[in-house]
């Protein structure tokens, strides 16, 4: 909304008042957010590239010869167990252990130094990791490169979603923040295309190009971050220069009339500066809804099973009987579908709302996983493959699953946590979100190939069960957040049927009075 004061009545609310701010999407803020969203591209590129190179024969021969032997020579090994190697999964999952640890350092760094420096640190670390990966001559250098990539992703995933949510006008916050996941999807697609091309290089060194090309988006982000403006929220939080924050706010909103938004930022900042231990603060009762969501949403995002597809799509396609080149091409198709539906999510998220999209995506993912599991259980034995008709059907069902994820849990899993935290716990809350995401990404990545070997087709029913649980959870416990100004978000919890019973209303009112007195 361009300006004025409006009233929003959310589900279950009576007379909930939100003050809308003046402003619009300016070219300045759009370009800034596009550059920052490249932080998603480095994450997506690595996710796509690791799954592709681990299916390349030349890569397996050099670093994981026992896996290559099982895949090519031991015909008595079950289809589901050919890639079961803890060393191979360590290559993929080591990034997420590093990202998990880095995210906690990134929290205080982002709070104390700003969103922009945190993005810069993440980009530089990722660049160094990409160079090491391309130059690796043994598995230890390879894993060291993965660790540095993880540090980069940890800092970028901490800072970029916050940056986007703080820069965006409330009415368009969903679309702009979903640009992060769109960038992730674009990175996955580009990685799959590069893998498809480098696999054909004679001499068996194409995987070096695949790993090394991760340096390109990292380099773009490193130089781009030097020119990014800092968010007004961060300027106020770290300094007392309200005039500088006001000038930046006027620039990104495209209007001189920003006093209402500035007042809310100052209120939030004054209270934020009184909080010395944000991780201790977030444990208090009045922040219980945000704490639960900061854990539940990234947990559920990972137990959708999406990283089974993201990391191991080429491996899955080889399991059902496709050749190396065909499996990589199939991964390109799923990557393109994911990017397209994420773009659709960008267009509709601020119209349909978060809850509706979570529900639609959850139902479609559940249906596709059940059918995939059934076909593989009935048609794919321990040896051989499925015929071309069923292989095509499985590819289409996997595309449906990826499309549903790209519409819902992919972008919304990053959007919702980044917009629900008040300023005083925002960095801590985002850090918990990133840490939980990385923890369960690591667990899924590290255990999936072993689970596939033991569960076989049942692995899809396992993840499908979690999709059913998380869809019900979101419908019941997540209030709608579309169009709500980020510094007024605390009101949605006090009017929710469940959370209002837990939130200490008297304490929240006291906090509000403290903020008003600080302003005066």
């Amino acid at each position: 909304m361009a300006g004025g004061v409006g009233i929003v009545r959310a589900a279950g609310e009576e007379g909930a008042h939100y003050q809308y701010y003046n402003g619009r999407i300016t070219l300045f803020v759009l370009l800034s957010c596009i550059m920052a969203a490249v932080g998603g591209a480095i994450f997506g590129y690595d996710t796509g590239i690791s799954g592709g190179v681990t299916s390349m024969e030349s890569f397996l021969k050099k670093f994981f010869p026992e896996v290559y032997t099982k895949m090519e020579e031991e015909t008595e090994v079950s289809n589901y167990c050919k890639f079961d190697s803890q060393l191979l999964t360590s290559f993929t999952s080591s990034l997420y252990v590093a990202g998990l640890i880095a995210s906690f350092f990134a929290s205080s760094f982002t709070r104390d130094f700003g969103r922009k420096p945190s993005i810069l640190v993440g980009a530089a670390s990722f660049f160094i990791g990409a160079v090491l990966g391309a130059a690796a001559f043994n598995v230890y250098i390879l894993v060291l490169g993965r660790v540095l990539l993880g540090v980069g992703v940890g800092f970028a995933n901490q800072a970029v979603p916050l940056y986007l949510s703080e820069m965006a006008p409330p009415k368009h916050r969903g679309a702009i923040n979903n640009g992060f996941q769109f960038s992730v999807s674009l990175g996955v697609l580009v990685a799959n295309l590069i893998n498809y091309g480098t696999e054909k290089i004679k001499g068996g060194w194409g995987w070096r190009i695949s790993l090394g090309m991760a340096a390109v988006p990292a380099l773009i982000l490193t130089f781009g971050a030097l020119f990014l403006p800092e968010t007004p929220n961060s300027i106020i939080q770290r300094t007392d220069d309200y005039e500088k924050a006001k000038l930046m706010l006027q620039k990104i909103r495209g209007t001189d009339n920003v006093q209402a938004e500035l007042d809310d930022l100052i209120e939030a900042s004054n209270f934020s500066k009184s909080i010395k231990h944000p991780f201790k603060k977030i444990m208090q009762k009045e922040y219980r809804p945000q704490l639960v969501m900061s854990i539940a949403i990234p947990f559920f995002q990972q137990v959708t099973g999406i990283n089974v597809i993201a990391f191991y799509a080429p491996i899955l396609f080889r399991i059902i009987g496709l050749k190396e080149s065909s499996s990589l091409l199939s991964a390109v198709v799923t990557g393109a579908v994911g990017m397209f539906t994420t773009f659709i999510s960008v267009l509709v998220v601020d119209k349909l709302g978060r809850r509706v999209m979570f529900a639609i995506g959850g139902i479609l993912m559940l249906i596709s996983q059940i059918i995939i599991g059934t076909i593989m259980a009935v048609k794919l034995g321990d040896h051989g493959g499925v015929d071309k008709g069923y292989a095509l059907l499985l590819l289409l069902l996997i595309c449906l699953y990826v499309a549903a994820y790209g519409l819902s849990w992919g972008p919304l899993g990053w959007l919702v946590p980044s917009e629900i935290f008040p300023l005083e716990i925002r960095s801590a809350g985002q850090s918990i979100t990133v840490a939980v995401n990385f923890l369960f990404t690591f667990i899924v990545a590290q255990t999936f190939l072993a689970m596939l070997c033991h569960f076989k087709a049942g692995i899809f029913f396992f993840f499908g069960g979690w999709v059913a649980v998380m869809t019900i959870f979101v419908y019941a416990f997540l209030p709608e957040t579309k169009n709500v100004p980020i510094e007024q978000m605390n009101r949605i919890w006090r009017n929710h049927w469940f959370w209002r019973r837990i939130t200490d209303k008297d304490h929240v009112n006291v906090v509000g009075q403290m903020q008003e007195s600080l302003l005066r």
Side-chain angles (χ1 to χ4, degrees), residues 167-189:
M167 291 288 281
K171 189 177 179 181
H172 303 287
R173 187 177 58 246
I176 288 178
N177 194 284
N178 278 9
F180 176 78
Q181 181 63 29
F182 178 76
S183 187
V184 172
S185 301
L186 178 61
V188 171
L189 176 60

Side-chain angles (χ1 to χ4, degrees), residues 35-36 38-39 42 116-117 119-128 214-228:
M35 179 53 65
V38 176
I42 64 174
K116 173 181 173 177
I119 294 172
L120 184 59
V121 169
S125 178
F126 196 91
F127 175 79
I128 297 171
V216 175
L219 199 60
I220 293 172
L221 185 61
T222 300
F223 283 105
L226 295 174
F227 301 98
L228 284 177

Side-chain angles (χ1 to χ4, degrees), residues 169-381:
K171 189 177 179 181
H172 303 287
R173 187 177 58 246
I176 288 178
N177 194 284
N178 278 9
F180 176 78
Q181 181 63 29
F182 178 76
S183 187
V184 172
S185 301
L186 178 61
V188 171
L189 176 60
V190 171
N192 288 331
L193 285 168
I194 289 175
N195 279 336
Y196 180 66
T198 58
E199 178 269 332
K200 301 178 182 300
I201 295 176
K202 295 179 180 180
W205 51 270
W207 60 268
R208 292 191 184 275
I209 295 178
S210 292
L211 294 179
M213 286 293 288
V216 175
L219 199 60
I220 293 172
L221 185 61
T222 300
F223 283 105
L226 295 174
F227 301 98
L228 284 177
E230 190 55 88
T231 70
N233 313 60
S234 181
I235 292 171
I236 292 176
Q237 185 182 38
R238 294 180 295 107
T239 71
D240 292 321
D241 194 344
Y242 298 150
E243 186 61 29
K244 181 180 179 181
K246 182 177 181 179
L247 291 173
M248 180 57 67
L249 201 56
Q250 290 173 335
K251 191 172 185 179
I252 66 176
R253 296 291 179 255
T255 177
D256 292 336
N257 188 8
V258 296
Q259 195 59 45
E261 185 171 5
L262 182 66
D263 288 344
D264 278 347
L265 294 182
I266 293 172
E267 278 189 26
S269 177
N270 286 336
F271 184 61
S272 172
K273 289 175 182 177
S274 69
I275 306 303
K276 302 302 181 185
H277 303 287
F279 281 102
K280 183 178 179 180
K281 187 69 177 176
I282 201 174
M283 300 298 173
Q284 294 181 359
K285 190 175 181 181
E286 67 268 27
Y287 301 115
R288 192 64 45 79
Q290 292 96 328
L291 177 62
V292 169
M293 292 301 166
S294 71
I295 296 171
I297 289 178
F299 166 74
F300 284 137
Q301 189 186 45
Q302 293 312 308
V303 294
T304 59
I306 185 60
N307 282 328
V308 170
I309 305 300
F311 296 150
Y312 301 121
I315 290 176
L316 284 174
F317 291 131
R318 296 208 69 175
I319 285 172
I320 65 175
L322 297 181
K323 298 300 182 181
E324 181 178 358
S325 182
S326 297
S327 69
L328 291 171
L329 180 59
S330 298
V332 171
V333 173
T334 58
V337 169
M339 188 184 73
F340 175 75
T341 54
T342 302
F343 179 70
I344 298 299
S345 178
V346 170
L347 299 180
V348 302
V349 65
D350 290 312
K351 297 180 178 66
L352 295 180
R354 285 58 161 160
R355 281 160 50 88
V356 171
M357 292 178 65
F358 270 131
I360 293 172
I363 292 169
L364 291 176
M365 281 192 289
L366 178 59
I367 292 171
S368 59
Q369 284 175 315
I370 290 173
I371 300 176
I372 290 169
T374 301
I375 292 175
M376 292 188 72
V378 174
K379 295 295 181 179
L380 181 65

